[in-house]
Amino acid sequence: MEAVILAGGESLRMKPHVWIPKPLVEINNGMTLLEWQVAWLRRHGFDRVIVLTRGFRIPELDVEWIESRSEWGTGGALKRALQECEEEYVYALNCDDILLYDPRDIYHLARKVVTVVVTRPHSPWGVVQIKGAQIVGFREKPLLDFWVSAGHYLWHRETAIEALPFKGDLERFTLPMLAANGLAWAYKLEPGVKRLWYTINTYKDLLIVREALAREPLVK
């Protein structure tokens, strides 16, 4: 199986705590975020991994590298990576989105053009319950009743190459366009007792992931 990791982010929201590319931050016992994602993919049977990056390499990491350009955007970068792939379906993920599930499961729902892993997030804030003007309760960071993209996708390679732009943003342009034309599908990852999705956007998010990995290794 083939996978593409989008790892070209600049970590702007993690400054001033982090001044290196986000994929290179350490998350557990000397393992970087990018190394963790590659290990996760290998564990689940992906024998070819392509990494889209900007300005860095990890020489000892057994992957194929594509140097991305800022003007491509995420959509254009993914298009070029898919042009290098060979299989009918290709798994793609944002480097900063960690999922705890078996990605092979999504292949059972593979459709054209894209299947998006979606999940329900927890509120980052406590929710206040109000009746009239009276506060009747508090819920600390509850599970919210809507779905969000978890940053992992299964793309039908041939039709995706046609649909993706040479330049443009994946989330703001391509996915809404595909959805409007009935070409985007959802794989629902239902959170249960155990949290299934970690996204690293801020330094606080990074600390949460480090704490979670310290409690229980997510790659064995």
PDB file of all heavy atoms in Angstrom, residues 47-59:
ATOM      1  N   ASP A  47       3.939  -0.107   2.560  1.00  0.00           N
ATOM      2  CA  ASP A  47       5.338  -0.377   2.225  1.00  0.00           C
ATOM      3  C   ASP A  47       5.990   0.751   1.433  1.00  0.00           C
ATOM      4  O   ASP A  47       7.210   0.744   1.228  1.00  0.00           O
ATOM      5  CB  ASP A  47       5.473  -1.698   1.464  1.00  0.00           C
ATOM      6  CG  ASP A  47       4.529  -1.791   0.273  1.00  0.00           C
ATOM      7  OD1 ASP A  47       3.939  -0.763  -0.109  1.00  0.00           O
ATOM      8  OD2 ASP A  47       4.384  -2.899  -0.263  1.00  0.00           O
ATOM      9  N   ARG A  48       5.203   1.709   0.976  1.00  0.00           N
ATOM     10  CA  ARG A  48       5.764   2.871   0.278  1.00  0.00           C
ATOM     11  C   ARG A  48       5.178   4.139   0.878  1.00  0.00           C
ATOM     12  O   ARG A  48       3.957   4.300   0.922  1.00  0.00           O
ATOM     13  CB  ARG A  48       5.454   2.811  -1.215  1.00  0.00           C
ATOM     14  CG  ARG A  48       6.146   3.933  -2.007  1.00  0.00           C
ATOM     15  CD  ARG A  48       5.749   3.926  -3.466  1.00  0.00           C
ATOM     16  NE  ARG A  48       6.507   4.918  -4.213  1.00  0.00           N
ATOM     17  CZ  ARG A  48       6.180   5.368  -5.424  1.00  0.00           C
ATOM     18  NH1 ARG A  48       5.101   4.887  -6.040  1.00  0.00           N
ATOM     19  NH2 ARG A  48       6.911   6.279  -6.030  1.00  0.00           N
ATOM     20  N   VAL A  49       6.050   5.017   1.338  1.00  0.00           N
ATOM     21  CA  VAL A  49       5.624   6.263   1.961  1.00  0.00           C
ATOM     22  C   VAL A  49       6.344   7.422   1.279  1.00  0.00           C
ATOM     23  O   VAL A  49       7.574   7.424   1.165  1.00  0.00           O
ATOM     24  CB  VAL A  49       5.935   6.292   3.473  1.00  0.00           C
ATOM     25  CG1 VAL A  49       5.498   7.630   4.073  1.00  0.00           C
ATOM     26  CG2 VAL A  49       5.240   5.129   4.183  1.00  0.00           C
ATOM     27  N   ILE A  50       5.574   8.393   0.810  1.00  0.00           N
ATOM     28  CA  ILE A  50       6.110   9.603   0.195  1.00  0.00           C
ATOM     29  C   ILE A  50       5.850  10.767   1.141  1.00  0.00           C
ATOM     30  O   ILE A  50       4.726  10.925   1.628  1.00  0.00           O
ATOM     31  CB  ILE A  50       5.451   9.871  -1.172  1.00  0.00           C
ATOM     32  CG1 ILE A  50       5.772   8.733  -2.148  1.00  0.00           C
ATOM     33  CG2 ILE A  50       5.909  11.216  -1.749  1.00  0.00           C
ATOM     34  CD1 ILE A  50       5.032   8.838  -3.472  1.00  0.00           C
ATOM     35  N   VAL A  51       6.874  11.561   1.406  1.00  0.00           N
ATOM     36  CA  VAL A  51       6.747  12.702   2.311  1.00  0.00           C
ATOM     37  C   VAL A  51       6.925  13.992   1.525  1.00  0.00           C
ATOM     38  O   VAL A  51       7.947  14.195   0.859  1.00  0.00           O
ATOM     39  CB  VAL A  51       7.778  12.635   3.453  1.00  0.00           C
ATOM     40  CG1 VAL A  51       7.634  13.865   4.361  1.00  0.00           C
ATOM     41  CG2 VAL A  51       7.607  11.356   4.258  1.00  0.00           C
ATOM     42  N   LEU A  52       5.914  14.857   1.588  1.00  0.00           N
ATOM     43  CA  LEU A  52       5.996  16.196   1.007  1.00  0.00           C
ATOM     44  C   LEU A  52       6.500  17.146   2.078  1.00  0.00           C
ATOM     45  O   LEU A  52       5.866  17.305   3.127  1.00  0.00           O
ATOM     46  CB  LEU A  52       4.615  16.638   0.518  1.00  0.00           C
ATOM     47  CG  LEU A  52       4.132  15.987  -0.778  1.00  0.00           C
ATOM     48  CD1 LEU A  52       2.625  16.030  -0.856  1.00  0.00           C
ATOM     49  CD2 LEU A  52       4.744  16.689  -1.987  1.00  0.00           C
ATOM     50  N   THR A  53       7.645  17.735   1.834  1.00  0.00           N
ATOM     51  CA  THR A  53       8.279  18.541   2.865  1.00  0.00           C
ATOM     52  C   THR A  53       8.837  19.813   2.267  1.00  0.00           C
ATOM     53  O   THR A  53       8.883  19.983   1.038  1.00  0.00           O
ATOM     54  CB  THR A  53       9.400  17.733   3.541  1.00  0.00           C
ATOM     55  OG1 THR A  53       9.954  18.517   4.591  1.00  0.00           O
ATOM     56  CG2 THR A  53      10.498  17.394   2.550  1.00  0.00           C
ATOM     57  N   ARG A  54       9.261  20.705   3.155  1.00  0.00           N
ATOM     58  CA  ARG A  54       9.872  21.960   2.707  1.00  0.00           C
ATOM     59  C   ARG A  54      11.109  22.243   3.532  1.00  0.00           C
ATOM     60  O   ARG A  54      11.032  22.622   4.700  1.00  0.00           O
ATOM     61  CB  ARG A  54       8.877  23.110   2.838  1.00  0.00           C
ATOM     62  CG  ARG A  54       7.774  23.068   1.790  1.00  0.00           C
ATOM     63  CD  ARG A  54       6.669  24.045   2.083  1.00  0.00           C
ATOM     64  NE  ARG A  54       7.163  25.415   2.167  1.00  0.00           N
ATOM     65  CZ  ARG A  54       6.432  26.447   2.574  1.00  0.00           C
ATOM     66  NH1 ARG A  54       5.193  26.244   2.963  1.00  0.00           N
ATOM     67  NH2 ARG A  54       6.936  27.641   2.614  1.00  0.00           N
ATOM     68  N   GLY A  55      12.265  21.995   2.928  1.00  0.00           N
ATOM     69  CA  GLY A  55      13.524  22.441   3.510  1.00  0.00           C
ATOM     70  C   GLY A  55      14.149  21.537   4.544  1.00  0.00           C
ATOM     71  O   GLY A  55      15.113  21.942   5.195  1.00  0.00           O
ATOM     72  N   PHE A  56      13.657  20.326   4.741  1.00  0.00           N
ATOM     73  CA  PHE A  56      14.328  19.446   5.700  1.00  0.00           C
ATOM     74  C   PHE A  56      14.206  18.002   5.251  1.00  0.00           C
ATOM     75  O   PHE A  56      13.349  17.634   4.439  1.00  0.00           O
ATOM     76  CB  PHE A  56      13.739  19.612   7.107  1.00  0.00           C
ATOM     77  CG  PHE A  56      12.358  19.033   7.273  1.00  0.00           C
ATOM     78  CD1 PHE A  56      12.171  17.695   7.587  1.00  0.00           C
ATOM     79  CD2 PHE A  56      11.232  19.825   7.115  1.00  0.00           C
ATOM     80  CE1 PHE A  56      10.899  17.155   7.732  1.00  0.00           C
ATOM     81  CE2 PHE A  56       9.958  19.295   7.263  1.00  0.00           C
ATOM     82  CZ  PHE A  56       9.793  17.955   7.567  1.00  0.00           C
ATOM     83  N   ARG A  57      15.094  17.180   5.764  1.00  0.00           N
ATOM     84  CA  ARG A  57      15.093  15.741   5.540  1.00  0.00           C
ATOM     85  C   ARG A  57      15.509  15.047   6.842  1.00  0.00           C
ATOM     86  O   ARG A  57      16.175  15.647   7.680  1.00  0.00           O
ATOM     87  CB  ARG A  57      16.093  15.339   4.457  1.00  0.00           C
ATOM     88  CG  ARG A  57      15.841  15.898   3.071  1.00  0.00           C
ATOM     89  CD  ARG A  57      14.707  15.157   2.392  1.00  0.00           C
ATOM     90  NE  ARG A  57      14.608  15.501   0.981  1.00  0.00           N
ATOM     91  CZ  ARG A  57      14.008  16.560   0.498  1.00  0.00           C
ATOM     92  NH1 ARG A  57      13.452  17.426   1.346  1.00  0.00           N
ATOM     93  NH2 ARG A  57      13.940  16.790  -0.798  1.00  0.00           N
ATOM     94  N   ILE A  58      15.116  13.806   6.984  1.00  0.00           N
ATOM     95  CA  ILE A  58      15.664  12.926   8.010  1.00  0.00           C
ATOM     96  C   ILE A  58      16.346  11.808   7.233  1.00  0.00           C
ATOM     97  O   ILE A  58      15.675  10.875   6.771  1.00  0.00           O
ATOM     98  CB  ILE A  58      14.574  12.368   8.950  1.00  0.00           C
ATOM     99  CG1 ILE A  58      13.801  13.517   9.609  1.00  0.00           C
ATOM    100  CG2 ILE A  58      15.190  11.458  10.015  1.00  0.00           C
ATOM    101  CD1 ILE A  58      12.658  13.048  10.504  1.00  0.00           C
ATOM    102  N   PRO A  59      17.663  11.897   7.031  1.00  0.00           N
ATOM    103  CA  PRO A  59      18.357  10.996   6.097  1.00  0.00           C
ATOM    104  C   PRO A  59      18.129   9.517   6.371  1.00  0.00           C
ATOM    105  O   PRO A  59      18.035   8.718   5.440  1.00  0.00           O
ATOM    106  CB  PRO A  59      19.831  11.383   6.275  1.00  0.00           C
ATOM    107  CG  PRO A  59      19.791  12.794   6.745  1.00  0.00           C
ATOM    108  CD  PRO A  59      18.580  12.885   7.626  1.00  0.00           C
TER     109      PRO A  59
END
